[in-house]
Amino acid sequence: MQSFVMRKTVMKNIFLLALVSATLTKAQITFSRLDSLFAYAEKNSVTVKTATQQSLLAKWTKVAAVANTVNFRNPLSFSVTDNMLLPVSFIPASAFGGKPGDLKAITLGQQYVSNFNFNPQIDIINPYNLAKVKSASLNKELTELTNLANKKNLFESMAAAFYNILAFQEQIKITKQNFVAADSLVFIVKNKFAQGIIREQDVNNSTVNQLNVKDKLNQLIVSLEQQYNSLKILCDIPPTTKLNILEPLDYQPTAYSSELKATSSLLFKSTVLQSEYMRSELRANRISTLPVLSAVYYNGWQQNSNNNLFDSKSVWIQSQYIGLRVTVPFPADVNKLSQNYTSKVNFRIAELNAEHAKLQNDLTNQSLNLEYDKNFASYVIVKQVYELKNENYNKSLNQYKEGILSTELLLSAFTDMLNSRLNYVSAKAALEFSKSKININNNLK
């Protein structure tokens, strides 16, 4: 019996372990390319989801503006009234055979009155509402461009985090390898000290060098985790989910691409459309003081009785008409006059912004191209520096083993080699990021 219980407990623990393992496995997301990261953000980022909702709002605003051009009103009313005290009127008594000059008090009206009215109205010509359709259409286009600009900024931030992660991962790998090399240097230096060839200060310096490499490794690990957290925020990935970026940096010879030029016009198009929208709003406010022509129809039934409500002995009296109505906003509404002036100022501001945006857009493209040129030139130089520093270190290590180089110069060569190798990684990541920024700007325009 005890053996059965033990087996049951073991099986239960195995099941729980498998369940936990499966849960942990599910809570992992792996990306091998930047494009796959963008695809994930398209489906899961709150920024993209919010943009979708804003587009829907702009769409329905336009639908409402189109429907409002006729401004269909369908007032339907029904009322019942119990006149508990009817009004008293005084009329000349002579009308009833009385003495001239006297007044007779009479009660007019009936106590119970029921009304049912159907009074629809539709605008035939409403200049203001017609003008608002144009504004709604421009607002919809402007919302799409704004969402596109937000998406561009999101993708640029994601690309920055992506290439920072690639750089830190590569630098951690390199630093770990060089930590082993630093440990070997300590071993070599200690052997020479044991042989009485070098001083104790050299041993201390080699140990300090090893500790510096270890500290650099710890800093890189923390920086990598911070970049992963930044990417999770941008993509709205839960904190408990493990995120993996598997794409390594490509160190194959990179040729300069003269065809890679930024050609985005998103900023300029957005400000021009903003200016057109403000012009449309100004036009709509200006014609808001024009008359409105409407078609009206009325159909009503009324029942009057002194007996009770809904008196079966009383008939329902019907009245009906159809016609045209011209509504003139006179005197002019002060609020509309104020809106007209505000729209005029906003339109002028939008025009100035559009003029500035043309220059800013061109300079932004030029800056992206210059950044690519600068990063490519830096990458070529840093690569050459690393190759030379690496060659110096290998030669210095051989010379140190032969006893013709000091410990200080060896450690200096090691530090230079390590720093140049890490700079090489950073330069490569910066070059790839500048290329991705140009591609993002050219694709989202």
Side-chain angles (χ1 to χ4, degrees):
M1 180 66 181
Q2 186 177 1
S3 176
F4 173 75
V5 173
M6 290 181 62
R7 286 199 302 271
K8 185 176 181 181
T9 303
V10 171
M11 293 298 295
K12 181 178 180 181
N13 292 337
I14 292 175
F15 173 76
L16 292 175
L17 181 61
L19 182 62
V20 171
S21 300
T23 303
L24 292 176
T25 302
K26 290 180 181 178
Q28 291 188 14
I29 303 178
T30 301
F31 299 103
S32 59
R33 293 178 297 104
L34 182 59
D35 290 343
S36 63
L37 185 61
F38 289 162
Y40 180 89
E42 290 271 13
K43 296 181 180 179
N44 298 278
S45 173
V46 170
T47 300
V48 177
K49 291 180 180 178
T50 302
T52 301
Q53 298 304 314
Q54 289 173 340
S55 297
L56 287 174
L57 285 176
K59 172 185 175 182
W60 286 109
T61 299
K62 180 181 178 180
V63 170
V66 173
N68 203 40
T69 55
V70 294
N71 192 20
F72 179 65
R73 284 93 74 195
N74 184 24
L76 187 66
S77 63
F78 176 73
S79 65
V80 290
T81 305
D82 182 356
N83 297 302
M84 295 180 292
L85 292 175
L86 292 170
V88 176
S89 300
F90 294 89
I91 63 175
S94 58
F96 298 93
K99 291 193 294 184
D102 290 344
L103 296 176
K104 182 176 178 61
I106 63 171
T107 301
L108 298 177
Q110 292 186 301
Q111 182 176 355
Y112 301 105
V113 179
S114 300
N115 283 292
F116 177 77
N117 300 316
F118 175 59
N119 184 25
Q121 182 173 330
I122 187 171
D123 290 347
I124 299 175
I125 301 176
N126 189 325
Y128 176 74
N129 287 349
L130 289 171
K132 292 296 287 184
V133 174
K134 177 66 174 178
S135 293
S137 297
L138 291 172
N139 178 65
K140 183 176 179 296
E141 295 179 35
L142 188 59
T143 299
E144 296 296 335
L145 285 180
T146 302
N147 291 340
L148 203 59
N150 292 335
K151 184 177 178 180
K152 179 184 74 71
N153 293 334
L154 173 66
F155 280 10
E156 286 183 353
S157 299
M158 290 170 59
F162 180 84
Y163 285 109
N164 282 338
I165 288 173
L166 294 187
F168 285 134
Q169 288 182 159
E170 185 70 12
Q171 288 175 338
I172 288 172
K173 177 182 176 182
I174 293 169
T175 306
K176 285 181 178 179
Q177 294 171 350
N178 282 274
F179 181 75
V180 176
D183 187 61
S184 298
L185 288 179
V186 173
F187 179 77
I188 295 172
V189 172
K190 285 183 177 180
N191 282 339
K192 285 184 174 288
F193 174 72
Q195 296 172 13
I197 301 176
I198 60 175
R199 302 167 301 170
E200 186 177 359
Q201 292 95 315
D202 293 327
V203 177
N204 292 339
N205 287 336
S206 66
T207 304
V208 169
N209 178 67
Q210 182 189 38
L211 292 174
N212 287 335
V213 175
K214 184 178 181 181
D215 179 62
K216 188 183 295 290
L217 177 60
N218 292 334
Q219 292 181 20
L220 289 172
I221 291 174
V222 173
S223 297
L224 175 62
E225 189 62 27
Q226 289 174 337
Q227 289 300 313
Y228 268 122
N229 289 337
S230 298
L231 197 55
K232 287 180 180 180
I233 293 173
L234 293 170
C235 298
D236 290 279
I237 297 173
T240 56
T241 301
K242 181 174 177 56
L243 186 59
N244 297 312
I245 303 295
L246 298 182
E247 179 181 357
L249 283 173
D250 184 9
Y251 288 103
Q252 296 298 321
T254 302
Y256 178 80
S257 176
S258 59
E259 297 179 356
L260 186 62
K261 298 295 182 182
T263 58
S264 175
S265 58
L266 182 59
L267 176 61
F268 178 60
K269 286 167 61 177
S270 179
T271 52
V272 168
L273 196 59
Q274 179 72 26
S275 175
E276 292 180 5
Y277 172 75
M278 288 303 174
R279 185 200 299 272
S280 177
E281 285 290 283
L282 174 60
R283 180 174 179 273
N285 287 321
R286 280 178 173 174
I287 64 178
S288 64
T289 57
L290 295 180
V292 177
L293 176 63
S294 306
V296 295
Y297 172 77
Y298 176 84
N299 200 355
W301 292 265
Q302 184 180 70
Q303 185 190 66
N304 303 301
S305 174
N306 283 321
N307 297 322
N308 50 57
L309 291 171
F310 306 112
D311 187 359
S312 60
K313 297 180 180 179
S314 299
V315 298
W316 286 87
I317 303 172
Q318 183 180 11
S319 58
Q320 188 178 54
Y321 66 81
I322 187 171
L324 296 176
R325 177 180 297 163
V326 177
T327 305
V328 181
F330 181 83
D333 188 350
V334 176
N335 291 329
K336 289 194 175 294
L337 293 176
S338 176
Q339 288 177 0
N340 187 16
Y341 180 77
T342 302
S343 298
K344 184 177 180 180
V345 174
N346 288 336
F347 171 57
R348 180 53 186 159
I349 293 174
E351 279 188 321
L352 294 173
N353 289 337
E355 294 174 6
H356 174 71
K358 180 65 172 67
L359 174 63
Q360 184 180 356
N361 200 121
D362 293 341
L363 290 177
T364 299
N365 287 336
Q366 185 177 347
S367 296
L368 289 173
N369 296 331
L370 289 174
E371 182 181 356
Y372 171 65
D373 294 343
K374 180 197 71 173
N375 288 336
F376 182 85
S378 177
Y379 166 75
V380 172
I381 293 175
V382 169
K383 181 176 181 294
Q384 294 174 348
V385 169
Y386 162 66
E387 291 172 348
L388 293 173
K389 291 292 185 180
N390 187 55
E391 182 180 353
N392 286 347
Y393 169 69
N394 290 327
K395 290 182 178 180
S396 297
L397 181 60
N398 292 332
Q399 291 171 357
Y400 183 77
K401 290 179 179 179
E402 295 173 1
I404 59 176
L405 189 73
S406 67
T407 304
E408 183 179 356
L409 291 177
L410 173 64
L411 296 177
S412 177
F414 174 84
T415 302
D416 289 345
M417 179 275 296
L418 177 57
N419 290 335
S420 64
R421 182 70 177 94
L422 298 179
N423 291 338
Y424 179 31
V425 173
S426 298
K428 178 61 176 178
L431 176 60
E432 295 301 321
F433 175 55
S434 61
K435 290 165 62 177
S436 70
K437 283 179 67 176
I438 293 177
N439 289 328
I440 291 171
N441 277 266
N442 289 348
N443 292 333
L444 300 178
K445 61 179 182 178

